[in-house]
Amino acid sequence: MIELGFPIKFLQWVLTCMKTVFYSIIINGEPAEPFPAAKGLRQGDPMSPFLFAIAMEYLSRSLNGLRKEKEFKYHPRCAKHGITHLSFADDLLLFARGDMTSITQLQHCLNHFYAASSLKANHEKSSIFFGGVTQLAYWSQLFLIPSKVLKTIEAYCGSYVWSGVNTITRRSLVAWDKLCTPKSVGGPNLINLKLWNKAAAAAKNYWDLANKEDKMWIKWIHAYYIKGQQISNMPIPQQASWLVRKMIEARRSVTTIHIQQKQNNSMIRQLYLAMLGQLPKVDRECSLCQKHDENRNHIFIECEYTKNVWTKLLKWMQRQQLWATSWDQHWQRAAKNARGKSSKAGIFRMVYAEAIHEIWNERNLRIFEKQSKKAEDLARNIACICNVRATNQNRQLIQNFQF
């Protein structure tokens, strides 16, 4: 920290925190007696991430110093950008040509870091990869989610939707593609995993390649594969890895999509919706009255059919009209009638809940099964159900009601 330029007083504060640390263990829900730490801060301490970042900055500056060493040779694919290492949290990638001199230079930096920080790499969790070496043949690639895996996931999802189980069944009332359509076209808006996989992986990466140059991996692909060409019509480099080829091939589905760059957080979703294509929207006209657009307020309050049902039910219960011009007013008046422990309040709660349920069922029957009931018949059906389900005390009161 001194070499990085931190003030001495700040360093003293940090050392004080490290030397005066006490821990307490929760036993049966209560903290035990505190005990001092033998090795300073432990994992999970709020200061640990900050101190680790400072330590890694020291290592990073040491590795960057290799650029000035004439004996150090870059990895063949890192020379154009002067890359010696990449780090993320506690993961570190080191790059160098496979000659002994360059490897030794890297080891010197690590040894110097070990001596300064007392931190060492875990060899059991470390790996080394060689290229162009006949004795060792290491390789690695990144893949999109395989199609077989996606089919299996979709099978589990479909089984859960229709059966509520976590085992694959053949019960499927509607095709999976239909379930993955947006609500605006009549679907439940489940995610189409195949398209989302393409949008989140290849398509999103291609968009970044074509429109951004602020990330290291994008600069690297431009330097070694694109080389100033127009990515929209350049030949796909066959010497590139499978992942790079797939990203460039994704231009077939991305070049016709117009993305608003200001909404970067929703870019994947925009790509996904565009790849779904234009689907015919469902008519949202109220199926009960066929006069207005369908929404919550209209179905349960404003619809003429619904008003007729409520009017007959309220008259049957010998209640005053609770109609209102807004959902909040309607809800407040309904809550007022349902409040309390009296028989009338209990009956109102039961009738109100059953009416909401039956109105929604009537709406669905008209849409999906082309069946319908008159408002008076629906109100009588609600009254009969409540009469059957009521307690003995409430049933006597209900039987005195008349339409």
Side-chain angles (χ1 to χ4, degrees):
M1 292 179 69
I2 294 176
E3 292 190 23
L4 291 177
F6 284 88
I8 298 297
K9 190 169 186 178
F10 179 82
L11 180 58
Q12 291 174 347
W13 291 343
V14 173
L15 290 175
T16 301
C17 293
M18 295 178 66
K19 292 179 179 180
T20 60
V21 177
F22 283 81
Y23 293 96
S24 180
I25 300 176
I26 302 296
I27 301 177
N28 295 330
E30 296 183 359
E33 289 292 328
F35 57 90
K39 295 184 178 181
L41 300 179
R42 306 296 294 173
Q43 186 175 1
D45 190 285
M47 283 187 62
S48 295
F50 300 101
L51 295 180
F52 181 80
I54 293 173
M56 293 307 294
E57 175 64 20
Y58 182 83
L59 174 61
S60 181
R61 293 189 182 188
S62 178
L63 291 170
N64 286 334
L66 292 174
R67 300 172 181 174
K68 300 178 181 179
E69 300 291 336
K70 295 182 179 180
E71 297 179 350
F72 178 78
K73 304 299 181 184
Y74 289 105
H75 185 282
R77 292 294 188 180
C78 297
K80 290 184 178 181
H81 294 290
I83 301 173
T84 59
H85 67 287
L86 294 174
S87 60
F88 179 79
D90 58 348
D91 293 322
L92 178 66
L93 295 174
L94 300 174
F95 303 99
R97 183 173 290 182
D99 60 88
M100 187 57 66
T101 303
S102 299
I103 300 299
T104 302
Q105 292 285 338
L106 283 178
Q107 188 62 51
H108 283 331
C109 288
L110 290 176
N111 291 337
H112 181 70
F113 175 71
Y114 295 161
S117 65
S118 299
L119 297 175
K120 291 187 177 182
N122 188 335
H123 295 293
E124 295 181 358
K125 297 182 179 180
S126 302
S127 302
I128 184 170
F129 297 90
F130 293 92
V133 181
T134 56
Q135 290 83 359
L136 301 163
Y138 292 97
W139 61 275
S140 65
Q141 284 186 342
L142 297 175
F143 292 90
L144 301 175
I145 301 176
S147 58
K148 290 184 179 179
V149 176
L150 287 174
K151 289 181 179 179
T152 302
I153 295 174
E154 289 181 350
Y156 275 107
C157 293
S159 299
Y160 183 80
V161 168
W162 296 114
S163 304
V165 297
N166 59 356
T167 56
I168 296 177
T169 63
R170 293 185 177 181
R171 183 181 182 185
S172 179
L173 304 181
V174 181
W176 182 253
D177 290 341
K178 296 283 187 180
L179 293 177
C180 295
T181 54
K183 292 182 179 179
S184 60
V185 299
N189 200 31
L190 299 180
I191 295 296
N192 185 318
L193 297 179
K194 293 179 182 178
L195 286 184
W196 189 270
N197 184 44
K198 292 180 180 179
K204 173 62 167 60
N205 289 333
Y206 171 80
W207 181 265
D208 288 344
L209 277 176
N211 296 277
K212 293 184 177 182
E213 293 185 4
D214 57 341
K215 297 180 180 179
M216 178 60 71
W217 70 271
I218 295 177
K219 294 179 180 179
W220 186 87
I221 293 179
H222 272 269
Y224 287 97
Y225 294 117
I226 299 177
K227 299 178 181 179
Q229 303 177 80
Q230 290 293 328
I231 191 173
S232 59
N233 54 23
M234 64 173 284
I236 297 176
Q238 297 303 312
Q239 75 278 15
S241 67
W242 179 91
L243 182 63
V244 173
R245 295 200 306 272
K246 283 296 180 183
M247 283 192 289
I248 299 178
E249 289 173 2
R251 63 191 177 189
R252 300 171 187 171
S253 57
V254 178
T255 51
T256 58
I257 299 174
H258 301 286
I259 301 295
Q260 298 181 12
Q261 296 190 31
K262 295 181 180 180
Q263 301 177 357
N264 289 328
N265 293 334
S266 62
M267 184 180 295
I268 295 177
R269 180 164 181 79
Q270 292 181 66
L271 289 168
Y272 169 75
L273 293 176
M275 294 169 74
L276 273 178
Q278 295 293 329
L279 300 172
K281 293 187 177 181
V282 174
D283 186 9
R284 291 295 180 181
E285 185 181 70
C286 176
S287 60
L288 300 177
C289 67
Q290 299 178 347
K291 295 180 180 179
H292 300 277
D293 293 338
E294 182 184 82
N295 55 60
R296 181 197 63 181
N297 289 10
H298 178 78
I299 291 177
F300 297 112
I301 302 175
E302 301 167 356
C303 179
E304 291 297 327
Y305 179 90
T306 303
K307 287 181 180 180
N308 290 334
V309 173
W310 284 119
T311 299
K312 296 182 183 303
L313 287 174
L314 292 170
K315 183 178 179 181
W316 171 65
M317 289 188 293
Q318 302 173 10
R319 290 272 184 172
Q320 295 180 352
Q321 296 291 328
L322 56 85
W323 232 249
T325 57
S326 68
W327 175 264
D328 290 337
Q329 291 178 355
H330 174 81
W331 179 250
Q332 289 171 3
R333 294 182 184 180
K336 182 179 179 180
N337 282 272
R339 190 177 297 118
K341 298 182 180 180
S342 65
S343 295
K344 286 188 176 181
I347 292 173
F348 181 87
R349 290 194 295 269
M350 180 172 58
V351 173
Y352 189 87
E354 187 62 33
I356 294 292
H357 180 258
E358 287 299 320
I359 291 170
W360 182 250
N361 277 348
E362 177 67 17
R363 176 258 187 197
N364 292 335
L365 284 171
R366 293 187 178 209
I367 293 175
F368 300 111
E369 299 186 22
K370 309 304 179 184
Q371 299 178 12
S372 63
K373 295 187 186 75
K374 294 181 179 179
E376 183 175 355
D377 293 337
L378 185 66
R380 289 182 179 275
N381 188 48
I382 294 170
C384 290
I385 293 174
C386 293
N387 181 53
V388 172
R389 293 180 177 177
T391 61
N392 292 332
Q393 180 180 356
N394 289 343
R395 187 177 295 115
Q396 293 177 0
L397 184 60
I398 288 176
Q399 290 175 352
N400 293 327
F401 296 159
Q402 294 181 353
F403 276 99

